[in-house]
Amino acid sequence: MRFAAAVTVLATASTISAFQTPAKSAFSPVSRRNAVAIDPATVPTPPTPKEEENKEFDMTGIALSGLNGKALRWQNEDFPEARELRAVIPADCFESDTMTSLGYLSVSVVGTAICTLIGTSLLSVLPPENILTLPFWTAYSAVTGTVAMGLWVLAHECGHGAFSKNKTIQDTVGYVLHSLFLVPYYSWQRSHAVHHQYTNHMELGETHVPEPVANKEEGSVSARNGLIKT
């Protein structure tokens, strides 16, 4: 009796399912019958993520350097990760030494002072207003500027927190040097950190941010194209 009842239930369920309309899948926008009626050759195939990544970069209007745009063709996986770069740098490069930093500071201060002293003592001998002294003062400017650049490098490292583990010494040196250069120390420290965080970002970068335009006839792009044509 139980076997007969079970057979009856199975037969009834099969009959009902045979007359039911198959439910549409959430991932299939059309039914099976409609899909067969469409010519597969006319249906565009969406690009795969790999194909999208390997799509050739549009080089139109780009002036190439000696690398011929090689860096522009790199994909995300071609660039090393930050941890990979740090792994190949010797560990002692991440350790700051206060005495070494102060030694570099002393060299830069003394060198800049000597150049300044030489320049001021020669003003009466080689007056800058005399056109014949232009070659000397040009060379002097190049040498003195190179020597004084050491002070800015040290000020820059103070802003990065690489001058000393002693924050008081580091901020004092950084504040004094930045003040001599008329650059606000703490404001620059923050803006420079943002600059490094968003380097080459198309919108949030601090430098060299491209101007967004709808077409090539607007803004600086139009001006650049006009210069290229001429």
Side-chain angles (χ1 to χ4, degrees):
M1 178 67 68
R2 292 179 179 177
F3 177 77
V7 171
T8 304
V9 171
L10 289 174
T12 304
S14 299
T15 304
I16 294 174
S17 62
F19 289 95
Q20 283 182 338
T21 302
K24 292 184 180 180
S25 170
F27 301 97
S28 302
V30 294
S31 66
R32 179 179 178 83
R33 183 173 59 183
N34 291 337
V36 173
I38 299 175
D39 184 3
T42 62
V43 180
T45 305
T48 63
K50 190 67 177 178
E51 292 174 344
E52 190 68 26
E53 291 180 2
N54 294 332
K55 187 169 59 176
E56 187 70 18
F57 188 84
D58 185 10
M59 306 291 289
T60 304
I62 297 179
L64 302 180
S65 64
L67 295 177
N68 293 322
K70 179 180 178 181
L72 297 175
R73 297 185 177 92
W74 278 25
Q75 305 300 323
N76 290 337
E77 61 271 12
D78 296 327
F79 293 92
E81 297 182 358
R83 57 183 177 82
E84 296 174 336
L85 293 176
R86 291 179 65 92
V88 299
I89 300 176
D92 59 315
C93 292
F94 297 98
E95 296 294 331
S96 58
D97 183 85
T98 302
M99 295 307 299
T100 300
S101 299
L102 290 175
Y104 287 135
L105 177 62
S106 301
V107 171
S108 294
V109 169
V110 171
T112 304
I114 292 176
C115 289
T116 303
L117 181 61
I118 293 174
T120 54
S121 63
L122 291 176
L123 286 175
S124 58
V125 180
L126 299 171
E129 60 270 17
N130 188 340
I131 192 65
L132 297 178
T133 63
L134 180 60
F136 170 80
W137 288 112
T138 300
Y140 171 82
S141 300
V143 173
T144 304
T146 302
V147 174
M149 184 65 186
L151 294 176
W152 169 248
V153 171
L154 293 170
H156 173 271
E157 296 309 308
C158 288
H160 274 291
F163 186 87
S164 172
K165 293 181 179 179
N166 189 315
K167 185 173 176 59
T168 301
I169 295 177
Q170 178 171 265
D171 287 343
T172 299
V173 173
Y175 185 85
V176 171
L177 291 179
H178 275 75
S179 298
L180 290 175
F181 298 135
L182 303 180
V183 179
Y185 175 62
Y186 294 103
S187 301
W188 178 90
Q189 191 177 46
R190 182 192 179 282
S191 64
H192 195 63
V194 174
H195 155 70
H196 278 286
Q197 182 179 2
Y198 296 109
T199 300
N200 293 333
H201 195 285
M202 296 290 286
E203 296 178 353
L204 302 179
E206 288 285 304
T207 57
H208 310 298
V209 179
E211 177 187 5
V213 294
N215 56 69
K216 297 181 180 180
E217 304 301 325
E218 296 181 1
S220 60
V221 177
S222 176
R224 186 194 65 178
N225 291 337
L227 292 175
I228 293 175
K229 292 179 180 179
T230 56

Short mmCIF file of all heavy atoms in Angstrom, two decimals, residues 45-60 69-78:
data_model
loop_
_atom_site.label_atom_id
_atom_site.label_comp_id
_atom_site.label_asym_id
_atom_site.label_seq_id
_atom_site.Cartn_x
_atom_site.Cartn_y
_atom_site.Cartn_z
N THR A 45 30.64 40.31 -28.12
CA THR A 45 31.22 39.63 -26.96
C THR A 45 31.94 40.65 -26.09
O THR A 45 32.84 41.33 -26.55
CB THR A 45 32.23 38.56 -27.41
OG1 THR A 45 31.58 37.67 -28.32
CG2 THR A 45 32.79 37.79 -26.22
N PRO A 46 31.52 40.79 -24.84
CA PRO A 46 32.18 41.77 -23.97
C PRO A 46 33.62 41.35 -23.72
O PRO A 46 33.92 40.16 -23.62
CB PRO A 46 31.35 41.71 -22.67
CG PRO A 46 30.71 40.36 -22.69
CD PRO A 46 30.46 40.05 -24.13
N PRO A 47 34.54 42.33 -23.62
CA PRO A 47 35.95 41.99 -23.39
C PRO A 47 36.16 41.41 -22.01
O PRO A 47 35.49 41.79 -21.04
CB PRO A 47 36.67 43.33 -23.53
CG PRO A 47 35.63 44.35 -23.20
CD PRO A 47 34.32 43.77 -23.69
N THR A 48 37.04 40.45 -21.92
CA THR A 48 37.39 39.87 -20.63
C THR A 48 38.26 40.85 -19.86
O THR A 48 38.86 41.76 -20.44
CB THR A 48 38.16 38.55 -20.82
OG1 THR A 48 39.40 38.85 -21.50
CG2 THR A 48 37.35 37.57 -21.65
N PRO A 49 38.34 40.71 -18.53
CA PRO A 49 39.19 41.63 -17.76
C PRO A 49 40.63 41.64 -18.24
O PRO A 49 41.28 42.67 -18.26
CB PRO A 49 39.09 41.06 -16.33
CG PRO A 49 37.77 40.36 -16.29
CD PRO A 49 37.57 39.80 -17.67
N LYS A 50 41.15 40.48 -18.69
CA LYS A 50 42.52 40.43 -19.17
C LYS A 50 42.67 41.22 -20.47
O LYS A 50 43.65 41.95 -20.66
CB LYS A 50 42.93 38.97 -19.40
CG LYS A 50 44.42 38.78 -19.67
CD LYS A 50 45.24 39.13 -18.45
CE LYS A 50 46.72 38.88 -18.69
NZ LYS A 50 47.53 39.26 -17.53
N GLU A 51 41.69 41.09 -21.36
CA GLU A 51 41.72 41.84 -22.61
C GLU A 51 41.62 43.34 -22.35
O GLU A 51 42.24 44.15 -23.04
CB GLU A 51 40.60 41.39 -23.53
CG GLU A 51 40.76 39.96 -24.05
CD GLU A 51 39.55 39.50 -24.85
OE1 GLU A 51 38.48 40.14 -24.74
OE2 GLU A 51 39.67 38.51 -25.57
N GLU A 52 40.83 43.71 -21.35
CA GLU A 52 40.67 45.12 -21.02
C GLU A 52 41.98 45.71 -20.51
O GLU A 52 42.33 46.85 -20.80
CB GLU A 52 39.58 45.28 -19.95
CG GLU A 52 39.16 46.72 -19.69
CD GLU A 52 38.41 47.32 -20.88
OE1 GLU A 52 37.81 46.56 -21.66
OE2 GLU A 52 38.46 48.55 -21.00
N GLU A 53 42.74 44.90 -19.72
CA GLU A 53 44.00 45.37 -19.18
C GLU A 53 45.05 45.51 -20.27
O GLU A 53 45.88 46.42 -20.24
CB GLU A 53 44.49 44.41 -18.10
CG GLU A 53 43.63 44.43 -16.84
CD GLU A 53 44.15 43.45 -15.80
OE1 GLU A 53 45.20 42.81 -16.07
OE2 GLU A 53 43.54 43.32 -14.74
N ASN A 54 45.03 44.60 -21.23
CA ASN A 54 46.04 44.58 -22.28
C ASN A 54 45.71 45.50 -23.45
O ASN A 54 46.42 45.49 -24.45
CB ASN A 54 46.24 43.15 -22.80
CG ASN A 54 46.83 42.25 -21.73
OD1 ASN A 54 47.54 42.71 -20.84
ND2 ASN A 54 46.54 40.97 -21.81
N LYS A 55 44.62 46.26 -23.34
CA LYS A 55 44.24 47.16 -24.42
C LYS A 55 45.32 48.21 -24.64
O LYS A 55 45.85 48.78 -23.70
CB LYS A 55 42.90 47.83 -24.08
CG LYS A 55 42.35 48.65 -25.23
CD LYS A 55 40.92 49.06 -24.93
CE LYS A 55 40.82 49.87 -23.66
NZ LYS A 55 39.46 50.36 -23.40
N GLU A 56 45.68 48.45 -25.87
CA GLU A 56 46.77 49.37 -26.21
C GLU A 56 46.44 50.78 -25.75
O GLU A 56 45.33 51.27 -25.92
CB GLU A 56 47.01 49.36 -27.72
CG GLU A 56 48.22 50.16 -28.15
CD GLU A 56 49.52 49.51 -27.74
OE1 GLU A 56 49.51 48.31 -27.43
OE2 GLU A 56 50.53 50.22 -27.73
N PHE A 57 47.42 51.42 -25.13
CA PHE A 57 47.24 52.78 -24.62
C PHE A 57 47.21 53.76 -25.78
O PHE A 57 47.99 53.66 -26.72
CB PHE A 57 48.39 53.12 -23.67
CG PHE A 57 48.21 54.41 -22.94
CD1 PHE A 57 47.46 54.47 -21.78
CD2 PHE A 57 48.78 55.58 -23.41
CE1 PHE A 57 47.31 55.66 -21.10
CE2 PHE A 57 48.62 56.77 -22.75
CZ PHE A 57 47.88 56.81 -21.59
N ASP A 58 46.28 54.70 -25.73
CA ASP A 58 46.15 55.69 -26.80
C ASP A 58 47.29 56.69 -26.71
O ASP A 58 47.37 57.48 -25.76
CB ASP A 58 44.80 56.40 -26.68
CG ASP A 58 44.57 57.36 -27.84
OD1 ASP A 58 45.35 57.32 -28.82
OD2 ASP A 58 43.59 58.13 -27.79
N MET A 59 48.20 56.67 -27.67
CA MET A 59 49.37 57.53 -27.65
C MET A 59 49.20 58.78 -28.49
O MET A 59 50.17 59.50 -28.73
CB MET A 59 50.58 56.72 -28.17
CG MET A 59 50.83 55.41 -27.47
SD MET A 59 51.41 55.64 -25.78
CE MET A 59 53.05 56.24 -26.10
N THR A 60 47.97 59.07 -28.92
CA THR A 60 47.73 60.22 -29.78
C THR A 60 48.08 61.53 -29.07
O THR A 60 47.62 61.77 -27.94
CB THR A 60 46.26 60.26 -30.22
OG1 THR A 60 45.93 59.02 -30.85
CG2 THR A 60 46.03 61.40 -31.18
N GLY A 69 57.71 55.87 -24.80
CA GLY A 69 56.42 55.56 -24.19
C GLY A 69 56.33 54.19 -23.57
O GLY A 69 55.23 53.69 -23.34
N LYS A 70 57.46 53.56 -23.27
CA LYS A 70 57.44 52.21 -22.71
C LYS A 70 56.68 52.17 -21.38
O LYS A 70 55.90 51.25 -21.13
CB LYS A 70 58.87 51.70 -22.52
CG LYS A 70 58.95 50.31 -21.92
CD LYS A 70 60.40 49.87 -21.75
CE LYS A 70 60.47 48.49 -21.11
NZ LYS A 70 61.88 48.05 -20.93
N ALA A 71 56.91 53.17 -20.52
CA ALA A 71 56.27 53.17 -19.21
C ALA A 71 54.76 53.30 -19.32
O ALA A 71 54.02 52.80 -18.47
CB ALA A 71 56.84 54.30 -18.35
N LEU A 72 54.27 53.97 -20.37
CA LEU A 72 52.83 54.14 -20.53
C LEU A 72 52.13 52.85 -20.91
O LEU A 72 50.92 52.73 -20.76
CB LEU A 72 52.55 55.21 -21.60
CG LEU A 72 53.05 56.63 -21.28
CD1 LEU A 72 52.82 57.55 -22.45
CD2 LEU A 72 52.37 57.16 -20.03
N ARG A 73 52.88 51.89 -21.43
CA ARG A 73 52.29 50.64 -21.86
C ARG A 73 52.32 49.57 -20.75
O ARG A 73 51.85 48.47 -20.94
CB ARG A 73 53.02 50.10 -23.10
CG ARG A 73 52.89 51.01 -24.32
CD ARG A 73 53.53 50.36 -25.55
NE ARG A 73 53.37 51.18 -26.74
CZ ARG A 73 54.26 52.07 -27.15
NH1 ARG A 73 55.37 52.25 -26.45
NH2 ARG A 73 54.05 52.78 -28.24
N TRP A 74 52.89 49.89 -19.62
CA TRP A 74 52.97 48.92 -18.52
C TRP A 74 51.59 48.68 -17.93
O TRP A 74 50.75 49.58 -17.86
CB TRP A 74 53.90 49.42 -17.45
CG TRP A 74 55.36 49.16 -17.74
CD1 TRP A 74 55.92 49.00 -18.96
CD2 TRP A 74 56.41 49.06 -16.78
NE1 TRP A 74 57.27 48.80 -18.83
CE2 TRP A 74 57.61 48.82 -17.51
CE3 TRP A 74 56.48 49.13 -15.41
CZ2 TRP A 74 58.83 48.66 -16.88
CZ3 TRP A 74 57.70 48.97 -14.78
CH2 TRP A 74 58.87 48.73 -15.52
N GLN A 75 51.36 47.44 -17.50
CA GLN A 75 50.14 47.08 -16.81
C GLN A 75 50.41 47.09 -15.30
O GLN A 75 51.56 47.18 -14.86
CB GLN A 75 49.65 45.70 -17.26
CG GLN A 75 49.45 45.58 -18.77
CD GLN A 75 48.43 46.55 -19.32
OE1 GLN A 75 47.43 46.83 -18.66
NE2 GLN A 75 48.68 47.09 -20.50
N ASN A 76 49.35 47.00 -14.52
CA ASN A 76 49.51 47.06 -13.07
C ASN A 76 50.45 45.98 -12.55
O ASN A 76 51.24 46.21 -11.62
CB ASN A 76 48.15 46.92 -12.38
CG ASN A 76 47.28 48.15 -12.59
OD1 ASN A 76 47.79 49.23 -12.87
ND2 ASN A 76 45.98 48.00 -12.48
N GLU A 77 50.37 44.78 -13.13
CA GLU A 77 51.19 43.68 -12.63
C GLU A 77 52.66 43.84 -13.00
O GLU A 77 53.52 43.12 -12.47
CB GLU A 77 50.68 42.34 -13.17
CG GLU A 77 50.71 42.19 -14.68
CD GLU A 77 49.42 42.67 -15.33
OE1 GLU A 77 48.63 43.34 -14.64
OE2 GLU A 77 49.22 42.36 -16.53
N ASP A 78 52.98 44.79 -13.89
CA ASP A 78 54.37 44.99 -14.26
C ASP A 78 55.14 45.79 -13.22
O ASP A 78 56.38 45.77 -13.20
CB ASP A 78 54.46 45.73 -15.61
CG ASP A 78 53.88 44.90 -16.76
OD1 ASP A 78 54.01 43.66 -16.69
OD2 ASP A 78 53.30 45.48 -17.69
#
